[in-house]
Amino acid sequence: MFHQMYNGFIWLGIVGIFFAESLLSGKPVYEEITPKNEVYRDGISWKKSICHRHSKLRPEWGFYAHQQINRLAVFTLPTEMMPFFKKHINFLADNAVNPDKRRYAVVGEAPRHFIDLDAYPDTSVTTLPRFYKEATERYGEDTLALHGLVPWQIQLTKYQLTEAFRQRDARRILRVAADLGHYIADANVPLHTTRNYNGQLTNQQGIHGFWESRLPELFSAEYDFLTGQASYVNSPQKAAWRAVFNANAALDSVLRFEEKLTEEMGETRKFGFEERNGLTTKVYSSDFSQKYHERLRGQVERQMRASIKLVGDFWYTCWVDAGQPDLKALADYQLTEQETKEENDEKKSWLKRLFSVRSED
Ligand SMILES: [Zn+2]
Ligand SMILES: [Zn+2]
């Protein structure tokens, strides 16, 4: 049952994309909830192929939230950067979930999305080194990978984006900026900072997708996403860790309020059923979702907003550190036919590798 339920949550996350698009485009929601996303365009049912096989893996910010965060971060940028980023805003949104898609196919991708702070005896600077090199010297790469790498991954991707700006490589700028937005957003999710990432240690299974997919899907239309302008990040290393610790500070309420509310409402009122694409899916009831969301007092909104601001801050910082290259010259950049083909082939290869993994067992 857990798997069934859990697949439902992931599925809701995917459905959330369409909901988001409809919010942005002003089109009715349910017209958009049809199987025509890019995974289906590849002729493969995402839900069946990936979610079922990998339901034991860690879930992710809903696709919708990732896309929104990358999209909205563009509007924090200064005028020198805005035209280029705005022109490619759809690319940045569409590719906001690439790291999640790669997770199943690319070796080493999975641990880049989280960090189990509670796996370490304590998390002070001396015990948990903030730079990757020192951390590997202390724990070794395998241990670090086991407990997640997100704050270090943000630092690495920040470096890569700065290099891409330096080389004025439009395609690489866009690809790496989209990735960086993803990792930063992940670092802001409380349940990405703990071993108990899906409430599996406290009998709260499903809470991950509930918090990061279901709640934004239901309530983010009313969120205030005005964050102000991007500002320069003096220490990307410190900023990445601050994001992770801030998210972790919210973890206690994430779990505690859900537990209390479950006690108060009981399992039967906690869940309901919804029809999605002809499937009856068990979901957190709207009453339970509403009450939980109220108790969190704007927490999901705060974390989404913090993500947007930090993504903008990092993109801006990379550009400054690269010597503020003139992006006007790049504004007309368009993927060539060959590049579009390469992008598509790459995405297909992630799915293909997933299937070759599947056929082996
Ligand atoms: Zn997640
Ligand atoms: Zn992720």
Side-chain angles (χ1 to χ4, degrees), residues 59-61 186 189 192 208 212:
E60 281 299 321
W61 256 129
D186 276 354
V189 176
H192 277 237
H208 195 117
E212 69 174 21

Side-chain angles (χ1 to χ4, degrees), residues 125 130-131 151 154-156 158-159 162 184 231-244 310 313-314 317-318 321:
V125 181
R130 303 308 194 232
F131 290 103
I154 291 171
Q155 296 171 60
L156 175 67
K158 190 265 159 195
Y159 170 79
T162 306
I184 289 174
S231 40
Y232 185 78
V233 181
N234 282 312
S235 168
Q237 175 263 121
K238 285 198 178 114
W241 281 99
R242 203 179 310 123
V244 163
L310 199 58
D313 289 351
F314 265 76
T317 302
C318 293
D321 289 351

Side-chain angles (χ1 to χ4, degrees), residues 59-61 66 99-100 103 109 112-113 182-183 186 192:
E60 281 299 321
W61 256 129
H66 274 300
D100 282 348
R103 229 158 40 122
E109 181 60 47
R112 296 174 184 164
H113 302 245
H182 182 99
Y183 296 125
D186 276 354
H192 277 237

Side-chain angles (χ1 to χ4, degrees), residues 264-336:
E264 285 167 35
M265 291 182 69
E267 292 282 327
T268 41
R269 283 174 63 210
K270 181 174 178 180
F271 296 107
F273 291 92
E274 273 183 17
E275 279 287 303
R276 298 277 174 156
N277 288 326
L279 293 170
T280 305
T281 313
K282 189 170 177 180
V283 294
Y284 288 91
S285 70
S286 52
D287 194 21
F288 189 89
S289 307
Q290 178 87 40
K291 289 203 166 79
Y292 181 56
H293 194 252
E294 273 165 25
R295 283 194 196 188
L296 289 172
R297 291 180 175 272
Q299 187 193 68
V300 180
E301 179 178 8
R302 272 195 302 282
Q303 293 309 114
M304 268 187 90
R305 202 163 44 216
S307 303
I308 293 161
K309 178 67 166 60
L310 199 58
V311 172
D313 289 351
F314 265 76
W315 287 349
Y316 171 58
T317 302
C318 293
W319 175 72
V320 171
D321 289 351
Q324 308 192 2
D326 183 2
L327 297 182
K328 267 193 247 97
L330 302 180
D332 290 333
Y333 167 77
Q334 266 183 332
L335 250 65
T336 62

Side-chain angles (χ1 to χ4, degrees), residues 46 50 54 57-58 100-106 354 357:
W46 175 267
I50 295 176
H54 291 277
L57 290 181
R58 289 166 187 253
D100 282 348
K101 294 180 185 170
R102 285 200 301 259
R103 229 158 40 122
Y104 309 113
V106 173
L354 168 67
V357 170

